């Protein structure tokens, strides 16, 4: 079995070599000597040399042209990547979410960098809140404090002027802690207003940068296209290519006169 397999491999390789030889050096079926016989080695080598020289020049030109076209793609990729980065930054500035928690929860209120969260009242007999009741953007809020015999109050004024009050039983909360929490909310409101103003300025800068980026990328892309086109035209007039093609055609003419078959370009 192994011997049979070896014979088949050898025969297959031989058939492949012969077919490839005939493709490189085509001839009539009755004149295969031109493709295989030692007497015609000089003609085959001349044809082979012309083919190799033509392929070398064309290959070098293709590589140069490919690099020029890759440069166009690199310009576009850099532009797209920068645009994605800027747009992502813009989204984060316009929609920052809640942000990190600023200190622990106090009663039903939980303060974050960008919002004040009202938690639902815990069911009777349970300590944990039952979920989120309302989220209020900090920049739009005003905060006040008042007290009574048994309770402390934080009064929240929304952007539309409506009010909501958070109640803190004195039995569970010290007045100083609630006042400190009021101050923390007030300070975070100021910080959020500063953040929003900074975000407005930065988003305006991003919009201008995106517009400039689009213009610059288009100009660079057009210039790179022009350079690639000019390179292609220069290559077509390259004396080395013209000589290689002329030599190839001349050798093909010689081979065709000998064999009646004209070689292919590959």
């Amino acid at each position: 079995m192994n011997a049979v397999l070896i014979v088949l491999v050898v025969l297959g390789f031989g058939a492949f070599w012969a077919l490839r030889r005939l493709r490189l050096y085509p001839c009539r079926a009755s004149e295969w000597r031109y493709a295989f016989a030692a007497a015609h080695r000089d003609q085959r080598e001349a044809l082979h040399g012309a083919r190799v020289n033509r392929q070398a020049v064309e290959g070098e030109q293709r590589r140069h042209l490919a690099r020029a076209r890759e440069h166009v793609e690199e310009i576009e990729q850099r532009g797209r990547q920068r645009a994605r980065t800027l747009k992502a930054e813009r989204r984060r500035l316009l929609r920052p979410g809640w942000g990190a928690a600023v200190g622990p929860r106090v009663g039903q209120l939980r303060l974050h960098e960008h919002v004040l969260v009202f938690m639902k009242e815990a069911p009777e007999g349970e300590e944990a809140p039952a979920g989120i009741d309302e989220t209020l953007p900090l920049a739009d809020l005003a905060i006040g404090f008042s007290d009574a015999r048994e309770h402390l109050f934080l009064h929240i004024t929304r952007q539309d002027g409506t009010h909501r009050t958070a109640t803190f039983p004195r039995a569970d909360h010290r007045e100083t802690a609630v006042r400190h929490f009021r101050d923390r909310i007030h300070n975070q409101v100021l910080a959020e207003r500063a953040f929003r103003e900074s975000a407005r300025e930065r988003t305006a800068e991003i919009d201008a940068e995106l517009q400039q980026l689009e213009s610059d990328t288009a100009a660079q892309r057009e210039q790179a296209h022009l350079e690639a086109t000019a390179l292609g035209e220069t290559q077509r007039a390259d004396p080395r290519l013209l000589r290689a093609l002329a030599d190839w055609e001349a050798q093909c003419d010689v081979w065709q006169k000998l064999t009646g078959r004209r070689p292919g370009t590959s």
Side-chain angles (χ1 to χ4, degrees), residues 11-68:
L11 289 175
F13 178 79
F16 171 78
W17 177 84
L19 290 173
R20 183 174 184 276
R21 187 88 167 181
L22 289 170
R23 184 175 62 83
L24 294 174
Y25 309 108
C27 54
R28 297 186 182 93
S30 60
E31 296 177 339
W32 283 7
R33 64 185 183 278
Y34 290 108
F36 299 99
H40 299 285
R41 181 182 293 118
D42 290 346
Q43 291 94 334
R44 291 195 299 271
E45 288 180 351
L47 183 64
H48 174 72
R51 176 185 282 116
V52 168
N53 185 46
R54 190 207 77 229
Q55 290 175 340
V57 174
E58 290 177 339
E60 181 181 347
Q61 289 191 343
R62 281 195 298 271
R63 288 190 294 273
H64 289 165
L65 191 57
R67 283 194 291 271

Side-chain angles (χ1 to χ4, degrees), residues 181-199:
F181 187 52
R182 184 274 314 273
D183 293 341
R184 193 157 75 242
I185 295 172
H186 174 75
N187 292 338
Q188 195 60 39
V189 166
L190 297 180
E192 174 63 9
R193 289 173 181 169
F195 168 81
R196 286 196 180 186
E197 180 60 30
S198 175

Side-chain angles (χ1 to χ4, degrees), residues 4-20:
V4 172
L5 181 60
I6 291 172
V7 170
L8 291 175
V9 170
V10 170
L11 289 175
F13 178 79
F16 171 78
W17 177 84
L19 290 173
R20 183 174 184 276

Side-chain angles (χ1 to χ4, degrees), residues 58-259:
E58 290 177 339
E60 181 181 347
Q61 289 191 343
R62 281 195 298 271
R63 288 190 294 273
H64 289 165
L65 191 57
R67 283 194 291 271
R69 289 169 177 165
E70 286 171 2
H71 181 55
V72 176
E73 180 60 26
E74 287 170 1
I75 289 172
E76 293 178 342
Q77 286 181 350
R78 286 197 300 269
R80 288 193 294 266
Q81 180 59 47
R82 180 58 180 159
R84 283 195 294 268
T85 300
L86 289 171
K87 289 176 181 178
E89 181 184 356
R90 191 178 190 278
R91 285 194 297 271
R92 288 193 297 270
L93 290 171
L94 295 178
R95 297 190 292 275
W98 287 8
V102 181
R105 177 174 59 86
V106 178
Q108 69 180 122
L109 294 180
R110 194 168 70 192
L111 179 62
H112 287 255
E113 289 178 310
H114 304 293
V115 297
L116 180 64
V117 181
F118 270 86
M119 309 299 292
K120 292 180 180 178
E121 296 287 352
E124 187 174 351
E126 297 182 14
E127 295 184 0
I132 296 168
D133 185 30
E134 184 179 11
T135 59
L136 299 172
L138 279 178
D140 303 328
L141 301 184
I143 183 78
F145 171 85
S146 66
D147 62 335
R149 180 183 296 273
E150 296 184 355
H151 294 88
L152 305 163
F153 307 97
L154 289 182
H155 306 286
I156 313 298
T157 303
R158 302 181 182 91
Q159 182 184 29
D160 62 2
T162 58
H163 298 278
R164 180 165 183 177
T165 298
T167 303
F168 304 87
R170 285 183 179 273
D172 300 323
H173 301 276
R174 291 182 301 156
E175 181 173 338
T176 55
V178 175
R179 286 184 179 273
H180 287 160
F181 187 52
R182 184 274 314 273
D183 293 341
R184 193 157 75 242
I185 295 172
H186 174 75
N187 292 338
Q188 195 60 39
V189 166
L190 297 180
E192 174 63 9
R193 289 173 181 169
F195 168 81
R196 286 196 180 186
E197 180 60 30
S198 175
R200 278 192 292 270
E201 293 175 358
R202 178 56 186 150
T203 52
E205 292 174 357
I206 289 172
D207 289 341
E209 189 171 348
L210 283 169
Q211 186 175 3
Q212 186 62 48
L213 176 64
E214 183 178 356
S215 176
D216 290 346
T217 300
Q220 293 172 9
R221 182 173 58 244
E222 179 61 23
Q223 180 61 32
H225 273 303
L226 291 174
E227 291 174 358
T229 301
L231 176 60
E233 293 174 353
T234 300
Q235 287 180 343
R236 284 191 290 273
D238 186 345
R240 293 184 309 151
L241 177 63
L242 297 178
R243 286 194 299 269
L245 291 174
D247 184 44
W248 167 250
E249 292 299 328
Q251 293 300 327
C252 286
D253 290 342
V254 171
W255 188 264
Q256 187 172 15
K257 289 177 181 179
L258 282 174
T259 67

